[in-house]
Amino acid sequence: MIPEERPDGPGAGEESARLQEAGSVRKGSDPLAQTPRGRPQSRRARVHQQITKELRMRTGAENLYRATSNAWVRETVALELSYVNSSLQLLKEELEELNGSSVEADRPEGEGITVPMIPLGLKETKELDWSTPLKELISGHFGEDSASYEAEIKELGDLRQAIRTPSRSEAGLELLMAYYTQLCFLDARFVAPPGNLGLLFHWYDSLTGVPAQQRALAFEKGSVLFNIGALHTQIGARQDRSCPEGTRRAVEAFQKAAGAFSLLRENFSRAPSPDMSPASLCMLEGLMTAQAQECIFEGLLLPSPEAPQDCRAQLRLAQEAAQVAAEYRQVHRTMTQPPVRDYVPFPWTTLVHVKAEYFCALAHYHAAVALCDSPPAAEEDSPVLPQAFLGPPATSEARGAVLPQEQEERRNLGKAHLKRSILGQEEALRLHAVCRALRRVDLLHAVLAQALQRSLAKYSELDREDDFLETAEAPDIQPKTQQKPEIRAPSFSRVKVTDIFQRLGPLSVFSAKNHWRLAGPVRVTRGEAGFGLTLRGDAPVLVAAVIPGGPAAAAGLQEGDYIVSLNGQPCKWWRHAEVVAQLKGVGNEGVSLQVVTLLPRAEPPGTGHHRPALGGLLRIQKECGWGTPAPARASPRRFLGWSRKAKRGKTTGRLSPQP
């Protein structure tokens, strides 16, 4: 995602019907693209210069970080890289705004004032050349002409180049998911444990900007999955939450972001960068869940003619706001604990703290409205309503059996809740003023100030000149929600992807994890009882049994062979019925067959009249539990996990499709 390098455009292969309909799915959102007419060119030039300067600073700091062994110097350089990375993110966002990119479609269009959300920046990566290791594997292990696979290798390179700058839209998500699926195919086809592709994957930490390098394809997969979650956060933060549809989309986006981080956390250990550590992913998962809960609460506040405004409805709003506050308190506790506090941005920690105070104050405000502005609850509801309250903060006692029914008692209790609301909103404004980055967010200040003025106005209505009694301390509000956000894992199955290297053969047999020898072509003639063999399975068709003394046995065919060529036609992807139909049409001259025989793992490839041993692609069906892959489209199931322990400070591993 480094700005001065552009994605190369469409790849050579078909990805999927959905991706074709998206149109630009093969193209990333290039921040340095030409702008429409009328854009301020001077501002664009200034931002370009600043980006170039920051990139040079990052390169120098990165080289120093690698070269030095002094702990103090490395800590200082890491801090500088964090600042540079943040500056680059802001500059690229400014440039995208000037360029009128696809981000414009995601900007909120409503006029309502809503609290800003926290989006996560994407991890950046450097260019990668797949050609050398893949050509060596194709020619050496698979025994095929690597020059004939130039188009496939270029398609893979174009796809990776495009995912460096995905558009902040559904098309960008599909692009990342398509590349992730291709990585699953690559892992299954070309990586044999305990080896790797021999490539060095280079990614920058999203939170600190510190570079991390690994040769494990698992690192590439994990980084792409992290960016899927980060892109969901950006899409959710840009929704117009002043309307029900925008609120629903925001909730869904944050739920999917939490699902991506949860999947990453559950299947990664010994992460190579701080943003992918279990502690960070746990924090991000909680943050996205809290933001989804906040959007749910905002949806309840939207005006609805059918919504009742009685005491019970206001107490429900109070409990929902208390639930949001409780979620943010938990996130804030996580952010302030080591090691997360060492690299999480300070404005994030402050904003989460501000939101915890703000929504707690909002809960007390709605409780006051329920007591003072709403009619008393019906008798049948009275035993239920006190459950919205806890005892005073210093005690654990309950606040009585029922809510007060006398108007004066309700007014006094309402004043107590308003007092806590005012104190909480003043604390939120104080925290907002402490953070210089948040002081520049005018929208947040407007939300906090508006809420404070509303509570002060309400308190003035209830306050009387002759009210000399000290206001009692209001009880806490019991957190409760009727719509708990669900963590949704990424739905990779909706993006149908074709294996770029499917010409090498079905993954169930032709993988780097397998060894086999290629026999033939051999001529098999038809006897009185046929060819003397039994076939089973699809793509490729398996010789399930050979009749002793029959034509197939005489030609050297054995049980367990896979038919890969019939009369000179490649048939690795043929179905059982197609092979049987061809054999039935054979005359007295017989049929020419080529077969491959899988070798035991410890047995070296055969020599002599056989071709050199070839490797396979995925894993054997029985070993991985997959069905036979289809020749046209397949979408491997995904699983993330480090399979090996770290060596010399680096983690090697492999992400494999999940069973």
Side-chain angles (χ1 to χ4, degrees), residues 520-538:
V522 296
R523 176 69 58 176
V524 184
T525 58
R526 186 192 299 274
E528 296 182 358
F531 291 102
L533 52 79
T534 302
L535 304 180
R536 187 182 67 198
D538 298 320

Side-chain angles (χ1 to χ4, degrees), residues 493-514:
S493 59
R494 67 184 179 85
V495 182
K496 303 300 181 182
V497 180
T498 303
D499 179 11
I500 292 178
F501 295 94
Q502 67 168 339
R503 283 200 295 131
L504 289 171
L507 295 173
S508 57
V509 175
F510 300 91
S511 78
K513 303 171 185 64
N514 298 326

Side-chain angles (χ1 to χ4, degrees), residues 57-68 70-87 204-212 272-274 342-345:
M57 290 178 60
R58 185 171 73 176
T59 301
E62 183 182 332
N63 292 336
L64 179 58
Y65 184 84
R66 293 200 193 98
T68 184
N70 186 288
W72 181 84
V73 174
R74 288 177 67 89
E75 182 179 351
T76 304
V77 174
L79 182 61
E80 181 64 26
L81 282 170
S82 177
Y83 290 143
V84 171
N85 185 66
S86 300
S87 299
Y204 291 92
D205 188 277
S206 174
L207 300 176
T208 65
V210 175
S273 58
D342 297 332
Y343 44 77
V344 70

Side-chain angles (χ1 to χ4, degrees), residues 166-471:
S167 61
R168 300 182 188 182
S169 63
E170 191 67 23
L173 288 171
E174 291 183 349
L175 179 66
L176 288 168
M177 290 183 179
Y179 179 63
Y180 179 83
T181 304
Q182 291 296 343
L183 291 177
C184 290
F185 283 124
L186 283 176
D187 189 16
R189 185 177 296 276
F190 292 109
V191 181
N196 54 60
L197 291 176
L199 289 168
L200 188 62
F201 301 102
H202 186 121
W203 289 83
Y204 291 92
D205 188 277
S206 174
L207 300 176
T208 65
V210 175
Q213 302 178 40
Q214 274 199 344
R215 296 189 181 278
L217 191 61
F219 184 36
E220 180 86 350
K221 283 186 177 182
S223 299
V224 173
L225 183 56
F226 183 94
N227 276 357
I228 290 174
L231 191 55
H232 274 300
T233 71
Q234 297 179 10
I235 292 175
R238 292 176 177 271
Q239 295 301 320
D240 176 13
R241 307 198 307 277
S242 63
C243 64
E245 180 61 23
T247 302
R248 182 194 63 79
R249 287 197 297 264
V251 171
E252 183 177 329
F254 289 126
Q255 286 175 329
K256 291 180 179 179
F261 297 135
S262 176
L263 181 61
L264 205 53
R265 177 180 57 83
E266 292 171 356
N267 297 282
F268 263 78
S269 60
R270 301 183 180 90
S273 58
D275 57 357
M276 293 168 62
S277 66
S280 292
L281 294 172
C282 183
M283 179 271 295
L284 292 174
E285 181 184 343
L287 176 61
M288 297 309 133
T289 303
Q291 295 191 143
Q293 191 73 63
E294 179 181 349
C295 293
I296 291 172
F297 174 75
E298 290 176 338
L300 297 175
L301 293 179
L302 294 177
S304 175
E306 298 82 11
Q309 299 299 322
D310 57 7
C311 180
R312 191 182 189 89
Q314 289 296 325
L315 285 180
R316 180 193 172 188
L317 290 176
Q319 290 188 294
E320 292 282 354
Q323 179 68 35
V324 178
E327 297 278 358
Y328 277 119
R329 284 197 197 96
Q330 180 61 40
V331 176
H332 184 257
R333 282 194 293 269
T334 306
M335 286 182 169
T336 54
Q337 295 295 321
V340 177
R341 70 181 180 191
D342 297 332
Y343 44 77
V344 70
F346 177 69
W348 286 21
T349 307
T350 306
L351 180 56
V352 167
H353 196 182
V354 167
K355 287 191 174 188
E357 296 292 338
Y358 167 72
F359 282 102
C360 181
L362 208 56
H364 286 287
Y365 173 81
H366 284 288
V369 172
L371 290 166
C372 302
D373 290 357
S374 303
E379 292 185 3
E380 59 271 16
D381 292 337
S382 295
V384 180
L385 297 180
Q387 296 179 5
F389 299 104
L390 294 177
T395 69
S396 59
E397 295 181 14
R399 180 75 181 188
V402 294
L403 287 176
Q405 297 297 310
E406 295 295 332
Q407 187 64 32
E408 186 63 20
E409 293 180 357
R410 294 168 67 89
R411 185 184 70 85
N412 289 333
L413 185 55
K415 282 183 61 178
H417 281 289
L418 283 174
K419 183 179 178 180
R420 290 194 64 180
S421 176
I422 293 170
L423 292 175
Q425 287 154 359
E426 288 177 343
E427 176 64 12
L429 279 169
R430 186 192 68 81
L431 293 170
H432 172 267
V434 167
C435 182
R436 184 175 60 180
L438 290 185
R439 287 202 301 268
R440 296 196 296 265
V441 184
D442 297 334
L443 183 60
L444 177 59
H445 183 271
V447 172
L448 299 176
Q450 185 183 71
L452 177 59
Q453 291 302 320
R454 184 176 55 182
S455 296
L456 288 172
K458 190 65 180 176
Y459 190 87
S460 298
E461 291 179 10
L462 299 178
D463 196 21
R464 297 174 182 173
E465 294 183 1
D466 58 348
D467 196 352
F468 300 107
L469 296 178
E470 184 178 354
T471 305

